[in-house]
Amino acid sequence: MRRTVLVLAALAGLALLSACTRPPPGAYAHDTDSPQSASGRQLALGKNTSGETCTASRTTSGGALIYCGSWHQPSAEVHAGPEANRANLNAIVTRGNWRAGLEQRYACGNPKPTTVLGRYPGEVLLCTQRIGGWPHVALAALIRGHVWFADGVQPAFPAMERAVGVISGAVPAADAGAMTTSVSDSQLADRLAAAAFTSGDIHEYGKLMTLGNRSNQAEDYPAAITAYRAALALQQKALGPENPNTVTPMLDLALNLSDQGDYSQADALLAQAAKLAPLAVDPTAVARLDHYRGLDQLNQGHDRRALRLLSAANRDYASLLPRSVLRPHPAATGSDDGFGLSAGSRGGSLLAAQSTLLSPIGQQALLGVIETLRYEGVVLDAAGHHKQAAVKIDRASAIASANGIAPPVLRARLDRSTAAVDTAFDRTASAAARLAQASYDFEHALPGSRPVADTHLLRGGVLDLAGQPGKALEACRAGIKLLARLRLGTSAALVAPCLDAANREAEKNPARAGVLRAEMFAMAELAQGSTTSREIAESAARLAADSKSPKVAAAIRAHQDAVIALSRLYRERDGIAHERQATPAAINAIDMKIAAATRRLAEADESVEAAAPNFGQLVQQVVPAGTVLDRLRPGEAFLDIMPAPDGTWTFLLHDGRIAVAHTKVDETRMTALVRKVRQSVVPTQAGLPTFAMTSAEAIYRATLAPFATDLAKTTAMVVSPAGALLSLPFALLPTEPVAPGTPLAKVPWLIRKMTLVYVPAAANFVSLRAIAGTSPAKQPWFGFGDFKNTSLAQAEATFSGPSCGDSARLFAGLPHLPYAKLELDAARAIFKAPASDELLGAAFTVPNVEHADLKQYRILHFATHALLPSELPCAHEPAIVTSPPPGARSAANSMLTTSDITNLKLNADLVILSACNTGGGDGKAGGEALSGLARAFFFAGARALMVTQWSVNDQVSSYLVATTLTHLASSTGEGAAASLRSAQLDLIRGAASGTLPAKLADPFFWAPFVVIGDGGQGTRNLAK
């Protein structure tokens, strides 16, 4: 089960001083405790080294705040120091209070003597923000027997020098702007000359990091990823891709990618961060690396690895803090805004601890200790070690309370974790109270967000356990309503207890059973939200608009293309930035493309808002059960399946009513059953294994058997599976117990009773049913196949390096598919298509596919190899194998990737992917609904897909597809799913009668193909 991860990166912004934004004026290094406030008129200070105009405002304490460019926060500050002389200036700068305050926030080198304003002695320090990583500079000038201190962002150094002159009285205010400054230190001069950033860059970085933190706290991972990715790009552009101090946004981006399930990208970023973290000036960087790696492993279900990494991170964080801070003591006064410590009641050790915690590093480290302890508790609780979990979580809470840390989000997280342990010990009243408080705190800090909704659902489950079904349903409804409004999904683990409560209420109150079951159906839908279902919904809305207003459809497509293009450029930038040979010119070039793509996206946003202001409302996450029932045809049923930790929930919508069943086969057991069935259809060197009939029977009993009466009247069924069931064709489930030794040709397979079609979610069924068979394309069919192999040299040019040798050899050695050519020949004859409506052999190349006008064809038919990254490790995305273009030096244009497919402009009723495993899925729980290939075709403009769930036999696949197309082209008006069923039954009957080999009755041969999106029956004849 995938667990929701709430990360430390979001909490960093709740500290007294944000880790990501420029501190307010009072946070600069002072020799006194009193912050400065600006007063009086602005003083012109000329330009900084980045060409921004700078001004200064005098402060009430006799100093100045310096502002450069459009940044609303001060770029630098000047204030008066003590009396001094040349002899003790270095000691003041090295050991005084000013230097101590500076070191809390910046890592500074040794002071170096310099000359200020051409004649006054001074000391300059080159620094780096400990948290944030931006270069900083500090200056101490001795003018007329007094020290003047200044510090600020690096480009502000000339303005700092001029401001010191004005504030000290050494330079008339009127002359400051035109005054020439002198930099006598060559290192500072080089650093200033190399500065490639402005105060505005730092301001923009701060805004992006704040937005990322806020989005992360709200568990809006796509928005957080966008913000963190932009922040990382900005900082890498300014400081260089290999600068260790870019590790903060890199880690935040990696973790949010992991939270969204993009583990490969997260792994690449974490590997890069592992090289940078030990060299960063932020002392918490290494601890945070282990912390985020631990959370990434927790996301992936590797609990033992997660626990080891979290424990290591906890030790590293703790090493940065005084022991007294980590020793729980009576609670101090809390602060909602940051770290509040009670006044000195524990003597010198407390004062030392307070001093540590007043620094951003101390705050970051303490938050890290608390969060890693809490997550250790989460992992232990999930593993059943409830007492150990309670110890960890109680200690985290005690440390937070003892140090007066009380921001609402942290309180809410601790309360949620404690409630989980309370529930394990049957302390349901305590758990419910804690979750009520957590809901309040989340709502206070993050109103109307996913954490609020999920906490409502958690509380509903606890109240149900406490025997309060009425209150449980009330809490569940609050969470479901909010998620529906946000168009967000959630986990089956959170929804299942709410289904329990609603089901018991329906059993007690038969008069309201129909209403309650419809409500339960809507709850279960939220557990099936996925990237696939959202993309299908968006594409279906676009295709629906196309039939009414092509301009609206074009605006929607332009917006979708702009989103994809920008995301692709950021990925490309990530790859360039990680290369050892990355040059500033290469990074600058991609940054310019990103800037242009960002502008195009903004323009596309405006266009789609003007053309289709209700587009967002058309992309539905949840549809009422009544709407699904209205779309069903006579004899058709809709089956929704939600495996959960406590069993499997199934909903059958048929003949105007909703039936609900709950069986005890939980998601772990279901995954094991599916894996056994899939393993039994994978050929070995010894041949095909014996089909796992017992496991297939168990799956049928857990999903369909409870609806035997309804199924007896069903001739077609739309299936919306989840978890491991996404990778299983239901056609191969036996509807009755099968006696040992029964020939496979005689087994009562489900396909014998009904047509089967699949959708990722109910909302997709509704939207795809509305546009099924509506393509305005005039031509019936276009085919692709008979690929020619690349040479080993071409493959090695693409899959280079020692680790990719196997990938290169596998790609170059892909076997020829002789029956694929026969399959396409048969299809062309069936549809009476001209030879020009094919790309075969050497003509089947990526450029030729991209240049073909495919919008004119209702059926697109690919008969070739398809490869997923799991099969070709050095491939970055799924691809359809094509021939190499003439003269190609590499295999790059021999793979039609998902990126290439999303750029295609289609308007097809059906796309056939007659290749290996084009539907994706490997029997694991929680996978995406479709492979990237299939999703890309939906995005490009397909209304239905015919794909495979495992590697297919070339000869039998050609027979099945050709027979399917024969039925599809017939005058009976069968849809694609019904035509596939007819072909599968022909194969099974042929094996039974002896007209075909008996072995073809094995599901390996006839069951791999499924249809996604087609309504099943009654679709108009696609061949006409």
Side-chain angles (χ1 to χ4, degrees), residues 391-635:
V391 170
K392 295 286 187 181
I393 295 170
D394 287 349
R395 180 167 171 76
S397 298
I399 292 173
S401 176
N403 290 287
I405 304 175
V409 173
L410 180 58
R411 283 201 309 260
R413 294 180 184 182
L414 288 168
D415 277 337
R416 285 208 328 189
S417 300
T418 304
V421 175
D422 284 343
T423 303
F425 287 113
D426 294 323
R427 298 193 292 261
T428 52
S430 174
R434 288 186 181 278
L435 290 169
Q437 183 62 47
S439 294
Y440 174 84
D441 284 334
F442 274 134
E443 185 63 47
H444 174 67
L446 305 165
S449 64
R450 187 203 295 268
V452 177
D454 283 351
T455 306
H456 283 316
L457 297 181
L458 285 168
R459 184 165 174 263
V462 170
L463 289 168
D464 186 54
L465 286 175
Q468 302 179 59
K471 289 185 177 180
L473 270 179
E474 183 181 337
C476 288
R477 284 166 177 152
I480 295 297
K481 182 179 179 180
L482 179 53
L483 288 170
R485 179 165 63 82
L486 294 171
R487 295 188 178 89
L488 294 173
T490 189
S491 69
L494 290 178
V495 170
C498 295
L499 294 178
D500 279 325
N503 196 45
R504 276 194 290 274
E505 189 69 16
E507 290 171 350
K508 289 193 300 183
N509 191 349
R512 297 193 66 247
V515 173
L516 287 164
R517 285 171 182 155
E519 191 175 1
M520 292 170 66
F521 178 76
M523 292 178 183
E525 285 184 84
L526 288 171
Q528 290 183 299
S530 66
T531 302
T532 297
S533 60
R534 184 177 66 253
E535 289 178 355
I536 291 176
E538 291 179 357
S539 299
R542 184 187 77 227
L543 292 172
D546 191 41
S547 61
K548 301 174 184 176
S549 174
K551 289 185 177 179
V552 172
I556 295 171
R557 178 61 195 254
H559 179 268
Q560 292 174 320
D561 286 344
V563 172
I564 292 290
L566 183 58
S567 175
R568 196 171 293 150
L569 282 170
Y570 270 121
R571 285 178 182 241
E572 185 180 342
R573 192 191 189 286
D574 290 344
I576 292 174
H578 296 162
E579 293 174 0
R580 290 185 179 273
Q581 296 80 18
T583 63
I587 292 176
N588 187 57
I590 194 72
D591 284 339
M592 291 177 66
K593 291 180 181 179
I594 287 172
T598 301
R599 290 193 296 272
R600 285 194 294 272
L601 178 56
E603 293 166 0
D605 280 334
E606 294 177 2
S607 297
V608 81
E609 179 64 27
N614 66 337
F615 175 63
Q617 297 173 7
L618 297 175
V619 183
Q620 294 176 289
Q621 182 81 18
V622 174
V623 291
T627 303
V628 176
L629 286 165
D630 289 343
R631 298 296 189 275
L632 293 172
R633 301 186 178 109

Side-chain angles (χ1 to χ4, degrees), residues 8 27 139 193 251 255 261 292 298 358 405 533 537 581 679 722 749 754 807 814 824 833 908 972 977:
L8 172 65
L139 174 69
L251 284 171
L255 184 53
Y292 287 14
L298 184 59
L358 285 174
I405 304 175
S533 60
Q581 296 80 18
Q679 288 172 346
W749 308 111
M754 62 188 70
S807 291
L814 288 170
L824 292 169
T972 59

